[in-house]
Amino acid sequence: MNQSPPADSSRCAAEVASLSTPQRAGLHAAAVHAQGHVPPSLPGAEAHRLTELGLVEALAESSSDRAGPVTRAPRYRITGAGRTRARREEPPRVLLVPCSAGKLDVPVAPAAEMYVGPYHVAARKAATAASADGSALVLTLSAKFGLLRDEDRILHYDLRAGQSGTVSPQVLARQAHFLGVSGARVTVFAGKAYADLARTVWPALEHPLAGRGIGEHLAFFADLYRPSRTRGRARL
């Protein structure tokens, strides 16, 4: 006679099964979401595995998704077991670099190509070096468009963080959830205005440049992308 696996066996699987990086990020994002929703960007196969482990549960299908990828209807919600597992897992790590006033003289380009200002270039080089082992995701914090992946195509614009028209905290929060980084450990490689903007989503973020002058910022970046220049000064 076929028998269902004992409940203790299912609990054990939920506690010890290996999770992928997207699955861990999805659990952390769901754990900090007001309704416990798993980011809709989590691939279906990854989410299905989490349901098999009892870490998330499927929601009733919506008759019509809201327009736009960031407002896509949620499909899964974290369970009590998922919250317990999330507390045991290291959160994803994100390094934020700022946008820049200096931009390509084109109407539209990928974020990785649009920003050409020297501060942004130095911050990006430092963040890339710090994440070379794959331990962190590098995102650009745009004053106008919010959180950008390198491949996101954006329009040319002229706006600095803190000016009228700066992306709202509500938009940033939705983007962070969609990208699966709302529960991440975040470090900001930028000045105060950008750190303050990011802090609306991640109050406990790390800002190693706080209280330093622009020259110290650039030296900090150089210590990371040219470690032979000096030893032990730039620590994350």
Side-chain angles (χ1 to χ4, degrees), residues 101 103 144 156-160 163:
K103 298 178 181 67
K144 183 173 181 65
H156 193 284
Y157 66 95
D158 184 14
L159 185 72
R160 294 176 183 271
Q163 293 179 335

Side-chain angles (χ1 to χ4, degrees), residues 20-27 30 38-51 56 72 75-76 177-180:
S20 68
T21 298
Q23 287 169 349
R24 290 195 298 272
L27 283 182
V38 175
S41 59
L42 183 68
E46 304 274 19
H48 181 67
R49 176 56 177 159
L50 292 179
T51 63
V56 306
R72 190 179 303 156
R75 297 169 295 165
Y76 301 91
H177 177 70
F178 179 79
L179 293 172

Side-chain angles (χ1 to χ4, degrees), residues 7-236:
D8 287 347
S9 174
S10 297
R11 282 196 296 270
C12 182
E15 292 171 359
V16 304
S18 178
L19 299 182
S20 68
T21 298
Q23 287 169 349
R24 290 195 298 272
L27 283 182
H28 278 288
V32 299
H33 188 270
Q35 285 79 46
H37 292 162
V38 175
S41 59
L42 183 68
E46 304 274 19
H48 181 67
R49 176 56 177 159
L50 292 179
T51 63
E52 290 180 332
L53 293 171
L55 301 177
V56 306
E57 59 187 5
L59 295 169
E61 290 188 12
S62 173
S63 59
S64 61
D65 283 359
R66 287 167 288 174
V70 177
T71 55
R72 190 179 303 156
R75 297 169 295 165
Y76 301 91
R77 177 174 54 208
I78 194 169
T79 63
R83 292 183 184 278
T84 298
R85 182 64 189 265
R87 286 193 290 269
R88 292 175 35 220
E89 294 288 338
E90 282 293 317
R93 188 162 171 246
V94 172
L95 305 180
L96 288 182
V97 299
C99 61
S100 70
K103 298 178 181 67
L104 284 179
D105 188 18
V106 295
V108 61
E113 300 173 15
M114 179 65 82
Y115 303 111
V116 296
Y119 187 99
H120 169 86
V121 170
R124 173 172 284 279
K125 287 172 63 177
T128 299
S131 62
D133 60 355
S135 63
L137 172 67
V138 179
L139 296 174
T140 297
L141 178 52
S142 162
K144 183 173 181 65
F145 297 114
L147 298 173
L148 296 174
R149 297 163 295 189
D150 287 353
E151 65 271 23
D152 290 331
R153 294 178 65 81
I154 57 172
L155 297 171
H156 193 284
Y157 66 95
D158 184 14
L159 185 72
R160 294 176 183 271
Q163 293 179 335
S164 177
T166 294
V167 62
S168 71
Q170 293 78 14
V171 169
L172 278 181
R174 289 198 297 270
Q175 292 175 332
H177 177 70
F178 179 79
L179 293 172
V181 298
S182 51
R185 172 191 164 195
V186 174
T187 302
V188 179
F189 283 13
K192 183 178 184 300
Y194 287 88
D196 287 348
L197 181 59
R199 198 171 277 114
T200 64
V201 178
W202 300 283
L205 63 75
E206 299 168 16
H207 187 210
L209 303 174
R212 303 190 188 191
I214 185 69
E216 293 174 292
H217 290 203
L218 296 176
F220 177 91
F221 297 151
D223 287 349
L224 287 171
Y225 65 75
R226 286 210 311 267
S228 60
R229 194 178 82 96
T230 186
R231 299 289 179 184
R233 294 199 315 191
R235 297 292 183 191
L236 296 183

